[in-house]
Amino acid sequence: MQELSVRHLLGIKDITPQDIQLIFETADNFKEVLNRPIKKVPSLRDITVANVFFENSTRTRLSFELAEKRLSADVINFSSSSSSVKKGETLLDTVNNILAMKVDMIVMRHSSPGAPHFLADHIQANIVNAGDGTHEHPTQALLDAFSIRERLGEVAGKKVVIIGDILHSRVALSNIFALQKLGAEVMVCGPTTLLPKHIKQLGVQVETDVRKALAWCDVANVLRIQLERMQMKYFPSLREYTLYYGIDKKMLDSLDKQITLMHPGPINRGVELSSDAADSHHSIILNQVENGVAIRMAVLFLLAQKQ
Amino acid sequence: MQKRLIVNHQLLEIMVLRLCHQLIESHGDFSDSVILGLQPRGKFVAQRIQRTLASILGREVPTGYLDTTFHRDDFRRRETPLTANATKVDFLVEGKKVILVDDVLYTGRSVRAALDAMIAYGRPASVELLVLIDRLYTRHLPIQATYVGLHVNSLQSQRVLVEWKDQQAGEDNIWLITKNED
């Protein structure tokens, strides 16, 4: 009998390769559940989950909400745009109020790195980090690695390049930790202005030429240009970024091998990916979305056992 | 720990053969019937039943494996965590006569969870339960088996272990295990 080594999922950095394997094996079973005529199981029927989103999200919140409902949990949703946070309430007060309503688990997105770690030190409920600023987005990294495993059989030994805005990406950091823990080689690729200064210390290769990166890799995980996080100009124009770092089908077809193309979404079509690349046979973007529900079901199921 | 052999491999073979003939009496050529082995240990019983039926009937009865982990009522109440097993049901359950197969019937809670899990695949015409061992006077729920290999009277502290050659055991055996009290 296996169980997770942690009682919160705050980041991939905190969990072991065995935890990741357990989550994958449990998600395999939940994928089977999601393909049944009745896609719902009663595992969490006595659990209440609060989705606390201090930052806008569509797909992550929907994916978590669906995962919670497929597990028969009671779900409440909170978004800061329509709450008392606007009136000056602190994070701890907000969450304590939610907990006073007897909530067992909290799925939280926050713009400040470390916000879920702070909460984990102060409250009893299980916490799942659904993205904290530019720090970590663990369930996205898990579903990405799970999708690579599904497509290529295993993650160990595979060469994965993460392309684009590494500096502002929580997906990149969690992906680096997850892929390395599972034995993959990781490269990051982007303009030097969008690569963190000490990124090499994480044991990743660094490349600024996207063509060389594509020639090296088995998998290319292309990130969205996060214009909303850019307080200054990191490149002259979107048009220039697309010219140097945009990936299209012609570029993929020119490679003498089949690579797997990923994107955590939402895609800026015509910027980091052209439509014909995003919709090509190389792409597993929609598989990532499907796997996201199974991975989040697995995480919630395994954490609920740790209460 | 004391192990007492309650069914040896010869008796187990006879028991499986008898259960298969009882199934044939009820299900005829199995044209509308399917077998679902309950994970983890009922899978091995189901495989053995399927093989024996195939040798008698000359055709394979559709057989799947059903995991009940996500449907159990003791989730989060157990000392040890639950680990899910694979479910493999490659056929429609809708309108079929389903034979649920497990190795030991004890409290009945696994069977209740199995009924719940099975409904997710459709509404069967009927459901029967086949077990190798029925532990008497231990039921928590009003569930009884349709086909039983052997009724065993046992203490709550005892455990019934069914070993199969398919699971790297030396030979097929059923043991009654008593833990030594300190």
Side-chain angles (χ1 to χ4, degrees):
Chain A
M1 299 279 184
Q2 276 189 288
E3 60 180 333
L4 290 180
S5 64
V6 289
R7 58 180 299 270
H8 309 286
L9 181 64
L10 302 176
I12 300 292
K13 198 175 180 182
D14 312 318
I15 62 175
T16 64
Q18 291 74 32
D19 287 332
I20 299 177
Q21 292 298 351
L22 176 61
I23 293 169
F24 283 3
E25 283 160 22
T26 311
D28 283 334
N29 295 310
F30 280 122
K31 269 208 87 165
E32 188 278 327
V33 169
L34 292 173
N35 285 302
R36 292 180 190 173
I38 299 171
K39 300 166 178 60
K40 196 161 173 145
V41 292
S43 304
L44 298 197
R45 70 181 153 204
D46 51 353
I47 294 232
T48 306
V49 187
N51 297 315
V52 183
F53 279 68
F54 290 95
E55 208 181 49
N56 289 336
S57 165
T58 307
R59 70 196 60 221
T60 304
R61 195 180 60 74
L62 279 180
S63 182
F64 267 111
E65 193 172 338
L66 197 57
E68 290 148 9
K69 287 179 172 170
R70 297 275 196 244
L71 289 167
S72 304
D74 292 319
V75 181
I76 55 171
N77 288 306
F78 167 96
S79 73
S80 60
S81 56
S82 57
S83 77
S84 294
V85 173
K86 292 277 181 211
K87 300 175 190 168
E89 193 177 46
T90 66
L91 168 63
L92 197 54
D93 277 344
T94 303
V95 174
N96 273 333
N97 273 286
I98 296 169
L99 285 176
M101 299 175 207
K102 309 292 177 229
V103 166
D104 305 291
M105 301 179 91
I106 290 185
V107 175
M108 188 174 83
R109 169 166 289 190
H110 202 285
S111 56
S112 300
H117 301 71
F118 166 78
L119 268 195
D121 289 340
H122 290 85
I123 62 172
Q124 280 300 310
N126 303 104
I127 295 170
V128 182
N129 180 4
D132 57 334
T134 55
H135 182 219
E136 282 226 42
H137 191 353
T139 53
Q140 179 69 45
L142 289 168
L143 76 90
D144 287 345
F146 184 79
S147 302
I148 294 171
R149 169 183 174 264
E150 186 178 69
R151 176 80 160 214
L152 303 177
E154 59 181 340
V155 180
K158 298 291 180 283
K159 293 175 176 176
V160 183
V161 61
I162 306 168
I163 299 171
D165 183 358
I166 312 296
L167 186 67
H168 297 99
S169 175
R170 51 191 167 217
V171 175
L173 194 59
S174 285
N175 258 281
I176 291 168
F177 292 143
L179 292 166
Q180 287 180 337
K181 283 186 184 201
L182 294 172
E185 282 185 70
V186 187
M187 175 187 276
V188 292
C189 175
T192 47
T193 50
L194 289 175
L195 296 173
K197 201 171 174 185
H198 302 294
I199 188 83
K200 273 190 180 166
Q201 288 178 7
L202 295 177
V204 299
Q205 298 184 53
V206 177
E207 178 59 67
T208 51
D209 185 332
V210 76
R211 283 164 184 80
K212 283 185 188 167
L214 290 177
W216 173 83
C217 74
D218 301 306
V219 178
N221 194 358
V222 184
L223 304 180
R224 183 173 68 90
I225 288 296
Q226 300 189 52
L227 295 167
E228 73 278 14
R229 287 188 199 277
M230 294 187 185
Q231 276 83 46
M232 56 181 269
K233 280 272 182 188
Y234 290 89
F235 45 82
S237 69
L238 271 184
R239 195 181 151 143
E240 184 162 320
Y241 181 86
T242 304
L243 193 65
Y244 284 98
Y245 291 96
I247 295 171
D248 58 22
K249 180 120 189 312
K250 200 172 144 195
M251 197 186 280
L252 295 172
D253 289 342
S254 71
L255 300 168
D256 58 355
K257 61 179 177 180
Q258 166 83 32
I259 69 160
T260 300
L261 192 62
M262 302 170 71
H263 193 296
I267 307 169
N268 290 315
R269 283 186 182 254
V271 180
E272 64 265 5
L273 275 184
S274 69
S275 277
D276 58 2
D279 303 331
S280 70
H281 65 279
H282 297 278
S283 163
I284 57 165
I285 295 169
L286 291 177
N287 302 67
Q288 289 174 265
V289 178
E290 182 190 342
N291 290 337
V293 180
I295 282 286
R296 286 171 178 124
M297 285 172 82
V299 167
L300 294 164
F301 175 82
L302 292 167
L303 286 180
Q305 295 196 73
K306 300 287 289 184
Q307 284 192 337
Chain B
M1 189 178 74
Q2 291 178 319
K3 274 174 91 175
R4 185 164 66 86
L5 188 65
I6 51 174
V7 180
N8 65 23
H9 69 280
Q10 288 150 329
L11 197 55
L12 187 53
E13 198 176 318
I14 294 167
M15 191 189 282
V16 169
L17 195 60
R18 168 173 57 83
L19 289 168
C20 287
H21 281 290
Q22 285 179 325
L23 285 172
I24 293 167
E25 274 185 43
S26 300
H27 293 266
D29 63 356
F30 285 81
S31 55
D32 291 322
S33 305
V34 296
I35 296 171
L36 280 180
L38 304 193
Q39 287 273 34
R41 307 187 69 88
K43 174 181 171 178
F44 299 103
V45 187
Q47 284 172 340
R48 190 61 64 93
I49 294 279
Q50 187 194 30
R51 283 211 298 272
T52 309
L53 281 175
S55 68
I56 301 169
L57 299 169
R59 60 181 287 266
E60 291 219 328
V61 179
T63 301
Y65 314 121
L66 190 65
D67 184 51
T68 62
T69 307
F70 303 136
H71 295 267
R72 290 194 65 98
D73 60 4
D74 56 354
F75 176 65
R76 296 173 65 237
R77 290 176 183 82
R78 296 165 61 100
E79 294 286 312
T80 51
L82 285 167
T83 308
N85 293 285
T87 290
K88 184 173 174 290
V89 183
D90 300 333
F91 43 78
L92 289 175
V93 166
E94 187 76 32
K96 297 287 183 190
K97 294 182 202 163
V98 177
I99 306 150
L100 292 180
V101 174
D102 208 352
D103 58 348
V104 179
L105 176 58
Y106 182 40
T107 62
R109 289 179 188 269
S110 296
V111 177
R112 186 220 56 79
L115 290 168
D116 196 4
M118 182 196 59
I119 297 296
Y121 293 90
R123 182 180 181 273
S126 65
V127 185
E128 294 178 329
L129 176 64
L130 181 152
V131 294
L132 288 182
I133 302 293
D134 179 359
R135 292 180 66 171
L136 298 171
Y137 316 118
T138 56
R139 216 73 76 237
H140 294 180
L141 299 168
I143 283 171
Q144 66 174 10
T146 324
Y147 311 97
V148 176
L150 184 70
H151 295 282
V152 173
N153 201 353
S154 59
L155 298 171
Q156 200 181 2
S157 58
Q158 291 174 318
R159 190 163 74 90
V160 176
L161 174 67
V162 182
E163 284 183 335
W164 296 104
K165 271 190 294 192
D166 315 14
Q167 289 179 286
Q168 281 86 46
E171 54 184 24
D172 303 334
N173 283 316
I174 304 180
W175 305 85
L176 186 65
I177 297 174
T178 309
K179 282 183 190 164
N180 290 338
E181 292 194 10
D182 296 325

